[in-house]
Amino acid sequence: NWIKYCKKNKLGLIVITKDLIDKKNIFWKKATWQKMLIGKYLKDNFSKKISNICYLDSDIIINPFAPNIFNFHKTKKISIVSMINNLPYDLLGTRKKISFLRNKFYSKKYPLDSSLFMGHKKIYQYHNLTPQKDFFCAGLFMFNVDNFAEDMAKWFFKYKKNIKSITGGGDQVHLNYEVFKKKKINILDYKFQALWIYEIVNKYPFLYDKNIISKKIIKECIEKSIFDNYFLHFAGSWNESEMWKIKRILPEKKIKFHSTYLKYFKKKPLGKPRGRITRYN
């Protein structure tokens, strides 16, 4: 679906599979940090000029009919999707549902009160960082290479390999801090990074009960959520975040069905009476 989306919008797609820095380097950290090196890497190693980059985690499924995300980017800013503002759901209620359902169906050891409920200011303070006004999931962001590649590389080399974080040494909090401190932010629609964990607890909480739910039903719900949004991100490390690995999500038959639906949906109905239509067997 990534390829379908890129072809539709005439976008280039680059997949990075190897470390961009030697593991022996004192600045090597959990691999996710290397997203900060992408701009510099592409600038130094590609002969063809690359202007804007949209970084995506590999556990994102794209709705192939989604609009071109680059049309919503602002070159002089870093584009992100907020995890706490402009949401279609109540955040506190969503977090309570997550903790309750995980405790009920996944593990009795899962705490009903944990760091899941830390506000973004407390998260920054926990890492000895000055609180910023917002927080985004670092699995998607956009930036202009000329304007931000050098800055991001400096952010990477600012922190050594022994860095500790609430995400097990991950980059999320520190990247948030550096991005918002830069004060050049463009907020994208939630649909460009709909979080499956938010979607499942608010729309499909019954999927947590593995005794009554099949992979087919999970797949149907995922597909519905994809078509309701643009990009669906399975961020996290708990059971529900692994659901994207179910095979044959959005097969060609389903994509064709949705294409037909969209064509019909765009047509203006005339509302002409057709006579009484009875139920067909």
Side-chain angles (χ1 to χ4, degrees):
N1 290 331
W2 286 35
I3 293 173
K4 288 179 183 293
Y5 181 77
C6 287
K7 285 183 176 180
K8 171 181 170 255
N9 294 294
K10 298 180 180 179
L11 303 173
L13 177 62
I14 297 172
V15 182
I16 296 175
T17 60
K18 296 180 180 179
D19 283 306
L20 301 181
I21 184 173
D22 195 294
K23 284 190 175 183
K24 296 179 180 178
N25 193 298
I26 61 170
F27 292 100
W28 190 93
K29 299 173 281 292
K30 194 173 182 178
T32 57
W33 281 81
Q34 293 177 46
K35 64 184 70 169
M36 301 180 203
L37 297 177
I38 290 173
K40 186 76 164 53
Y41 171 78
L42 297 181
K43 190 175 182 180
D44 294 343
N45 291 279
F46 277 66
S47 56
K48 187 175 181 179
K49 179 179 173 57
I50 297 174
S51 299
N52 298 305
I53 293 173
C54 176
Y55 167 83
L56 294 175
D57 276 358
S58 59
D59 57 352
I60 289 176
I61 299 180
I62 297 177
N63 177 348
F65 302 101
N68 186 345
I69 191 171
F70 286 89
N71 291 340
F72 300 85
H73 176 57
K74 295 181 180 179
T75 303
K76 294 183 179 180
K77 295 185 177 182
I78 298 173
S79 296
I80 57 95
V81 178
S82 175
M83 287 182 71
I84 59 176
N85 293 309
N86 306 316
L87 301 178
Y89 310 114
D90 173 69
L91 183 57
L92 178 59
T94 296
R95 288 172 173 171
K96 283 192 171 183
K97 291 174 187 176
I98 293 171
S99 63
F100 181 83
L101 292 170
R102 284 177 175 175
N103 175 276
K104 175 70 174 177
F105 294 107
Y106 290 161
S107 173
K108 291 298 181 184
K109 294 181 180 180
Y110 191 88
L112 293 175
D113 190 358
S114 66
S115 61
L116 178 67
F117 295 97
M118 287 179 71
H120 63 287
K121 291 184 179 179
K122 286 187 177 180
I123 292 177
Y124 287 118
Q125 290 170 344
Y126 179 84
H127 294 80
N128 296 316
L129 299 170
T130 303
Q132 302 299 309
K133 65 178 183 179
D134 206 340
F135 202 83
F136 72 97
C137 177
L140 181 150
F141 60 93
M142 303 177 69
F143 64 97
N144 177 270
V145 174
D146 289 338
N147 291 336
F148 296 103
E150 298 294 336
D151 284 333
M152 290 187 177
K154 289 178 182 177
W155 298 344
F156 178 88
F157 289 109
K158 179 178 176 180
Y159 304 96
K160 293 185 179 180
K161 69 187 312 177
N162 60 350
I163 188 75
K164 294 181 180 180
S165 72
I166 202 170
T167 54
D171 64 285
Q172 174 113 322
V173 180
H174 296 83
L175 180 58
N176 264 270
Y177 170 72
E178 298 295 347
V179 167
F180 283 108
K181 192 176 71 167
K182 191 73 177 173
K183 298 186 184 300
K184 294 183 178 180
I185 309 297
N186 176 47
I187 304 293
L188 299 172
D189 192 312
Y190 166 81
K191 288 186 176 184
F192 278 116
Q193 195 184 22
L195 298 175
W196 173 243
I197 188 57
Y198 288 1
E199 297 290 301
I200 185 175
V201 298
N202 285 294
K203 293 180 179 178
Y204 321 109
F206 52 86
L207 295 184
Y208 278 86
D209 191 345
K210 60 184 178 182
N211 295 317
I212 63 171
I213 296 301
S214 66
K215 288 185 178 180
K216 181 180 179 181
I217 295 175
I218 295 173
K219 188 167 75 75
E220 290 288 339
C221 293
I222 289 175
E223 289 172 347
K224 175 65 168 61
S225 190
I226 292 170
F227 287 132
D228 282 346
N229 296 289
Y230 302 149
F231 296 7
L232 183 62
H233 190 185
F234 291 76
S237 57
W238 271 75
N239 303 40
E240 64 271 75
S241 296
E242 296 294 308
M243 290 178 175
W244 69 282
K245 295 180 180 179
I246 293 174
K247 294 181 179 180
R248 289 182 54 76
I249 293 175
L250 281 192
E252 194 63 34
K253 183 178 180 180
K254 188 63 66 75
I255 291 175
K256 286 182 179 179
F257 174 84
H258 194 69
S259 177
T260 303
Y261 163 74
L262 287 178
K263 288 178 182 178
Y264 164 74
F265 198 79
K266 290 178 181 178
K267 290 184 178 179
K268 183 178 179 180
L270 300 177
K272 291 182 178 180
R274 300 291 183 179
R276 186 168 180 263
I277 300 174
T278 59
R279 180 173 63 88
Y280 290 93
N281 293 321

